[in-house]
Amino acid sequence: MTLTLTVHRGTNEIGGSCIELRSTSGERLILDVGRPLDAASDAENLLPATLDRTGTATVVICHPHQDHWGLVHELPGSWPVITGQASAKLIEITARLARRPLNRTLNTWSSREAFERSDFRITPFLTDHSGFDAYMLLIEADGQRVLYSGDFRMHGRKSVLVERMMRSPPADLDVLILEGTNLGTDKPTISETDLEDQFVALAKKTPGRLFVCWSGQNIDRTVSLYRAAKRSGRTLVIDLYTAEVMEAIADGTRLPRPGFDNLKVVLTSGLRRHYAELGRVDFIDNMAKHGLSARALEGSNHIVMLRDGLLKDYKAKGVTPAASDAFSYSMWKGYLDKPNKSLEWLKSAGAHLEHLHTSGHASGADLRAFASAMNAKVIVPVHGQNWDKEQFGFAGIKRLNDGEDYHL
Ligand SMILES: [Zn+2]
Ligand SMILES: [Zn+2]
């Protein structure tokens, strides 16, 4: 019996993830169909050329970042796609916002509940990542045991999940397919709770508003900022998209959502128009109960979400930056290599600028400790740019090229 592994995309890059497992009888399981991070927003036909689209296959999506699911709409309509329950909701919201609506209903799994699809037995393990509802996947087929790490870290609010897995790893792993985003980089990997303290300190020394740029899908970060707002006696102001994300996932959790104290939704005309076009006037009306207009940001000391997409609406309502304000870019600072209107806007007013961030991915040291604990016979590197020069401390690395078949 031979199980075949093919990394269609990702042996040398971050994003666009697409991996295939093929059983002896020819059944196929696809791990992720991600959109390449460097693809233009209107680019199409991006599935890897080596991915055979004839016949059928089951697709599993490890978490709701577009570099793992963004090409679902290019798959044959008959291929089932499975992911986590909250992931399914978040993918649907983002696909709509990106104007590439899904052409199918996603099936869902529950953490630690194994299920079978053709020759494959799959067990999802909820893990710690900047993307919400992220999973590692244990796949058993043809007598082989493969663990796919997906994207993960060990310094977020769910780090205990990774620690638990390291204490009792899946037995007898043949292959670990491991992400390596942060290998050979100096991206910050302080804990999310330490980052929260840094936001509290910044809020306390800022007399005016604290504008923050972060991803509405980074739920850990929304929680850190919400907690920092409460601890500094301020209100966190989120946009309609972030409000929709929190509404979609907050049921049954203690996550902050519209209606909580110290939390307001800013009703900007661009996003109002977007939801109105989708026929979601009810959503806007609901959010308006917990909302404020951009005009109300003037004279406040709120912690305010800011993205280039919101800037035009803020300006139109007379929001004017001041030297008493501060701005924190809370995303990877490499994105600032491109011009950032929000940063320039605050900078021109003499506002205090501070980059406060921690990575969504494990540090090199944590990746090595995790790999050692998993103790797989072979490690197949993916989702990294520096694997060639960062192999020390990893035992049993098997470097593949994109599209190359590896017979286990
Ligand atoms: Zn990724
Ligand atoms: Zn991710």
Side-chain angles (χ1 to χ4, degrees):
M1 289 205 297
T2 314
L3 184 67
T4 304
L5 165 67
T6 311
V7 180
H8 290 293
R9 185 158 50 212
T11 60
N12 263 314
E13 72 184 86
I14 296 166
S17 298
C18 187
I19 300 163
E20 175 168 344
L21 288 166
R22 205 156 47 254
S23 71
T24 311
S25 65
E27 300 288 350
R28 302 159 65 203
L29 182 73
I30 313 297
L31 316 177
D32 293 339
V33 283
R35 193 174 176 84
L37 290 174
D38 58 1
S41 60
D42 58 351
E44 293 294 340
N45 300 316
L46 294 168
L47 280 174
T50 50
L51 177 69
D52 181 0
R53 267 150 274 177
T54 60
T56 190
T58 298
V59 179
V60 290
I61 305 290
C62 67
H63 69 281
H65 276 156
Q66 287 203 57
D67 63 317
H68 296 260
W69 65 265
L71 301 179
V72 164
H73 66 290
E74 292 191 8
L75 294 171
S78 61
W79 289 17
V81 180
I82 319 173
T83 190
Q85 289 161 11
S87 293
K89 292 180 188 169
L90 293 172
I91 289 171
E92 202 196 313
I93 292 172
T94 310
R96 239 195 293 116
L97 196 73
R99 300 191 186 279
R100 278 189 292 270
L102 294 180
N103 48 4
R104 73 201 72 213
T105 304
L106 304 180
N107 302 308
T108 58
W109 61 52
S110 298
S111 185
R112 293 177 175 262
E113 286 182 17
F115 60 94
E116 283 176 18
R117 285 291 183 280
S118 58
D119 291 340
F120 302 93
R121 182 181 166 85
I122 303 156
T123 314
F125 293 90
L126 187 66
T127 195
D128 186 29
H129 180 43
S130 52
F132 192 69
D133 202 35
Y135 293 84
M136 297 197 187
L137 299 170
L138 174 66
I139 299 133
E140 297 161 274
D142 284 352
Q144 301 276 330
R145 292 163 61 80
V146 177
L147 181 70
Y148 175 39
S149 73
D151 290 359
F152 76 104
R153 62 177 175 176
M154 292 170 58
H155 53 272
R157 294 187 181 273
K158 291 194 173 85
S159 56
V160 63
L161 297 173
V162 186
E163 287 158 15
R164 193 208 293 185
M165 193 148 186
M166 288 171 69
R167 273 198 307 275
S168 48
D172 304 321
L173 283 179
D174 294 288
V175 178
L176 170 63
I177 305 170
L178 182 63
E179 75 117 316
T181 313
N182 280 345
L183 288 171
T185 76
D186 59 354
K187 290 186 194 167
T189 52
I190 63 164
S191 74
E192 194 68 38
T193 46
D194 284 349
L195 187 74
E196 175 189 321
D197 292 343
Q198 293 183 355
F199 276 116
V200 172
L202 178 57
K204 285 188 172 162
K205 73 180 182 193
T206 302
R209 296 158 293 193
L210 170 52
F211 290 95
V212 184
C213 178
W214 83 99
S215 158
Q217 283 225 6
N218 187 339
I219 310 299
D220 271 12
R221 193 60 39 84
T222 303
V223 170
S224 296
L225 287 160
Y226 177 67
R227 290 173 57 93
K230 280 190 87 161
R231 288 172 58 191
S232 58
R234 297 183 184 227
T235 292
L236 177 67
V237 178
I238 57 176
D239 69 356
L240 278 164
Y241 167 72
T242 307
E244 189 191 12
V245 165
M246 298 313 290
E247 281 292 289
I249 62 172
D251 277 349
T253 74
R254 285 154 53 206
L255 292 169
R257 65 195 295 180
F260 272 40
D261 291 343
N262 301 76
L263 188 70
K264 289 280 182 200
V265 183
V266 62
L267 301 164
T268 50
S269 46
L271 280 169
R272 282 179 85 129
R273 206 163 42 241
H274 169 75
Y275 286 102
E277 279 169 19
L278 293 169
R280 301 285 308 280
V281 177
D282 57 324
F283 171 69
I284 303 172
D285 290 347
N286 262 332
M287 291 303 103
K289 293 177 203 148
H290 321 291
L292 48 71
S293 75
R295 194 170 281 121
L297 299 175
E298 282 301 279
S300 79
N301 71 346
H302 299 332
I303 299 181
V304 183
M305 181 171 226
L306 178 60
R307 284 184 287 104
D308 283 3
L310 296 169
L311 194 57
K312 197 171 108 217
D313 290 334
Y314 286 178
K315 283 181 180 171
K317 294 291 179 192
V319 180
T320 312
S324 56
D325 294 331
F327 175 63
S328 183
Y329 187 75
S330 192
M331 296 174 75
W332 177 48
K333 68 174 187 289
Y335 292 135
L336 289 177
D337 291 345
K338 288 187 196 153
N340 185 283
K341 289 183 199 148
S342 307
L343 175 69
E344 292 309 318
W345 188 58
L346 269 301
K347 203 173 168 180
S348 66
H352 174 74
L353 310 175
E354 205 165 313
H355 181 244
L356 297 182
H357 180 53
T358 190
S359 173
H361 300 266
S363 66
D366 285 348
L367 286 169
R368 288 177 173 91
F370 179 79
S372 163
M374 293 305 108
N375 197 26
K377 294 188 188 89
V378 171
I379 296 171
V380 171
V382 295
H383 205 284
Q385 293 174 313
N386 297 318
W387 273 108
D388 282 334
K389 55 177 196 263
E390 288 281 332
Q391 295 186 17
F392 56 91
F394 292 104
I397 284 200
K398 171 73 181 173
R399 274 308 258 141
L400 295 176
N401 295 311
D402 281 2
E404 178 187 348
D405 283 347
Y406 175 41
H407 304 291
L408 308 184

